[in-house]
């Protein structure tokens, strides 16, 4: 089984599904393999016609069953020092190298390799496959897919999101909210700053206010938070603007994110920044230039995975993995979107998140074998039930 899975993984790595590019060829490949197993497959193309989600079902079309999910997109390889072609699978010393091997085409390959076994053993409880686009840039595809499932009344009972967790069970993670805030000022000669509105300077003041909120968020830490760090975090990813030394910058942009432990924290930050712009920054900018403006684009607001007292998916995987202790992680996934549909959800997949997004990304063969073993035990449970 490991050899077949590796061959499938090699095929998947050859599709350069960087988030900025189309994933249609890979989705067609996935659809063909699942249809060959007798699955009912639906490929949902987005409005651009260049991206698609895939939802497939083995077994009866009914409520319940388990959903196995992964994202098709990968992060870019530009300016990274790879020792081999990132879109050609290379095996060395028990490791499978290539962009997306651990994040997260290894899990997708394992589910495809196990699909024929699921067919032989599925009973009253269906097995669903959900493969999405643009997870790396705001979980856009999963948002569209879960909306489609809701509209169609499709209700899987359990979900396993196969992000790399070193095959440990993850029952919770923070949300991930990403924003781009743009400043529109008035350019002018650097020798007379008062005659212009320097967008870069106002962007810096905006960033300073964000950093002040970090202290507030630490003070708001829930007493029972199990996250590390236990509070909502803020990060400024980029500040861009201006052109040369002696020109007042008319445009600037701040790219920032927060990882909320609670929705109330996200609301607190957004309200504080909106009031700061309306009460402080904009009046100052418009006193010089009435058309000055600040606008914020919501790149993505992805809910976290909330740990719950009752979680059938956690209990099932704990049994199949022999008392694997559930954990929380700091990185985000699409899990919260599926949880919002009423599913019991866990994150569990092969590979380490420490290898993701880096040059020479790899997945240990042993991790892939452990994933196949888990899916094999899951298929046995399908036959039992």
């Amino acid at each position: 089984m490991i050899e077949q899975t590796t061959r499938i993984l090699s095929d998947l790595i050859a599709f350069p599904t960087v988030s900025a590019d189309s994933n249609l060829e890979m989705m067609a490949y996935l659809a063909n393999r699942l249809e060959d197993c007798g699955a009912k497959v639906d490929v949902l193309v987005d409005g651009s016609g260049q991206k698609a989600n895939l939802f497939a079902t083995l077994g009866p079309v009914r409520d319940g069953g388990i959903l196995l999910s992964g994202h098709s997109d990968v992060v870019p390889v530009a300016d990274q020092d790879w020792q081999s072609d990132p879109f050609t699978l290379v095996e060395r010393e028990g490791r499978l190298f290539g962009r997306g091997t651990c994040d997260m085409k290894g899990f997708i390959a394992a589910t495809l390799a196990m699909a024929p076994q699921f067919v032989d053993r599925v009973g009253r409880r269906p097995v669903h496959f959900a493969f999405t686009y643009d997870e790396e840039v705001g979980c856009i595809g999963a948002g569209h897919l879960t909306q489609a499932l809701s509209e169609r009344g499709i209700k899987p009972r359990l979900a396993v999101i196969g992000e790399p967790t070193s095959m440990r069970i993850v029952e919770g993670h923070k949300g991930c909210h990403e924003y781009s805030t743009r400043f529109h000022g008035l350019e002018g000669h650097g020798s007379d700053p008062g005659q212009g509105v320097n967008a870069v300077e106002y962007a810096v003041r905006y960033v300073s206010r964000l950093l002040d909120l970090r202290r507030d968020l630490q003070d708001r830490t829930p007493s029972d938070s199990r996250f590390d760090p236990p509070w909502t975090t803020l990060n400024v990813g980029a500040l861009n603007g201006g052109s040369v030394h002696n020109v007042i910058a008319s445009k600037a942009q701040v790219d920032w994110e927060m990882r909320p432990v609670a929705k109330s924290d996200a609301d607190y930050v957004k309200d504080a920044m909106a009031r700061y712009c309306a009460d402080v920054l904009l009046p100052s900018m418009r006193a010089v230039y009435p058309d000055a403006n600040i606008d914020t684009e919501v790149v993505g607001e992805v809910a976290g995975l909330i740990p719950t007292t009752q979680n059938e998916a956690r209990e099932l995987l704990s049994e199949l993995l022999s008392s694997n202790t559930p954990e929380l992680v700091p990185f985000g996934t699409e899990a919260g979107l599926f949880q919002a549909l009423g599913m019991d959800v866990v994150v569990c997949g092969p590979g380490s998140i420490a290898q993701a997004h880096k040059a020479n990304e790899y997945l240990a063969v042993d991790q892939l074998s452990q994933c196949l073993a888990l899916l094999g035990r899951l298929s046995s449970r399908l036959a039992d039930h």
Side-chain angles (χ1 to χ4, degrees):
M1 185 64 72
I2 188 65
E3 292 81 6
Q4 180 184 4
T5 307
T6 302
R7 286 195 296 271
I8 295 173
L9 179 56
S10 179
D11 292 342
L12 297 182
I13 297 303
F15 295 109
T17 51
V18 175
S19 302
D21 300 324
S22 175
N23 72 339
L24 295 183
E25 290 187 4
M26 176 173 164
M27 286 303 183
Y29 173 92
L30 299 175
N32 288 336
R33 293 199 71 104
L34 289 169
E35 286 171 346
D36 288 346
C37 295
K40 307 168 190 68
V41 178
D42 193 359
V43 176
L44 299 88
V45 180
D46 78 338
S48 74
Q50 297 301 307
K51 302 287 183 73
N53 292 312
L54 181 150
F55 185 80
T57 301
L58 289 172
V61 178
R62 52 168 295 175
D63 288 350
I66 188 165
L67 180 146
L68 305 173
S69 182
H71 62 81
S72 65
D73 61 317
V74 298
V75 297
V77 299
D79 300 321
Q80 291 187 336
D81 186 17
W82 284 78
Q83 295 178 2
S84 58
D85 180 352
F87 298 109
T88 299
L89 190 71
V90 174
E91 183 172 358
R92 294 194 305 269
E93 300 177 347
R95 296 174 175 178
L96 301 167
F97 291 86
R99 173 54 87 222
T101 47
C102 78
D103 188 18
M104 54 178 297
K105 292 180 178 180
F107 179 78
I108 295 175
T111 63
L112 290 179
M114 290 299 300
Q117 193 170 127
F118 290 144
V119 172
D120 292 339
R121 299 185 178 183
V122 71
R124 294 186 301 107
R125 302 178 66 180
V127 176
H128 306 284
F129 303 82
F131 302 133
T132 63
Y133 66 88
D134 285 1
E135 187 271 350
E136 298 289 5
V137 291
C139 298
I140 297 170
H144 292 162
L145 177 60
T146 52
Q147 180 180 351
L149 295 181
S150 177
E151 291 171 351
R152 300 180 184 192
I154 299 173
K155 300 177 181 178
R157 180 72 190 94
L158 314 178
V160 177
I161 314 301
E163 290 277 8
T165 66
S166 299
M167 293 307 297
R168 296 192 294 269
I169 300 170
V170 169
E171 63 173 341
H173 61 70
K174 298 178 184 180
C176 182
H177 294 198
E178 297 181 345
Y179 307 93
S180 290
T181 301
R182 300 181 180 92
F183 300 79
H184 308 272
L186 177 65
E187 66 183 3
H189 198 287
S191 64
D192 194 356
Q195 295 302 306
V197 177
N198 194 315
V200 170
E201 292 181 4
Y202 283 95
V204 169
R205 293 172 65 179
Y206 187 90
V207 169
S208 180
R209 180 66 181 124
L210 281 173
L211 299 183
D212 287 342
L213 289 176
R214 282 179 170 177
R215 293 188 290 270
D216 295 349
L217 292 170
Q218 291 187 32
D219 292 339
R220 293 169 60 93
T221 303
S223 59
D224 60 347
S225 176
R226 295 164 50 203
F227 290 105
D228 182 19
W231 52 80
T232 293
T233 59
L234 280 169
N235 180 65
V236 178
L239 194 166
N240 297 293
S243 55
V244 293
H245 299 75
N246 59 354
V247 174
I248 298 170
S250 63
K251 294 181 181 179
Q253 177 170 314
V254 176
D255 296 329
W256 59 284
E257 65 149 30
M258 60 177 158
R259 305 278 174 140
V261 298
K263 182 179 181 297
S264 58
D265 281 354
D267 293 340
Y268 175 77
V269 171
K270 289 190 291 183
D271 180 64
M273 295 310 298
R275 284 188 287 107
Y276 183 62
C277 289
D279 298 343
V280 179
L281 297 185
L282 280 172
S284 178
M285 296 170 74
R286 288 174 176 170
V288 177
Y289 179 50
D291 291 335
N293 195 31
I294 302 172
D295 63 80
T296 295
E297 174 191 359
V298 179
V299 178
E301 293 183 332
V302 182
L305 176 60
I306 302 170
T308 57
T309 303
Q310 301 295 323
N311 185 330
E312 186 181 344
R314 180 189 63 212
E315 301 308 317
L316 173 62
L317 262 68
S318 293
E319 177 184 341
L320 297 178
L321 291 171
S322 301
S323 300
N324 196 322
T325 304
E327 302 177 12
L328 305 185
V329 292
F331 62 86
T333 77
E334 299 168 331
L337 292 165
F338 291 102
Q339 186 181 52
L341 291 183
M343 302 181 209
D344 284 359
V345 184
V346 293
V347 182
C348 183
S352 168
I353 196 68
Q355 304 306 325
H357 298 191
K358 296 181 179 179
N360 305 308
E361 175 183 348
Y362 71 83
L363 172 63
V365 173
D366 177 65
Q367 283 283 302
L368 194 57
S369 296
Q370 290 182 45
C371 182
L372 289 168
L374 169 65
L375 295 175
R377 290 191 287 272
L378 174 62
S379 71
S380 297
R381 285 295 298 269
L382 292 172
D384 294 341
H385 291 76

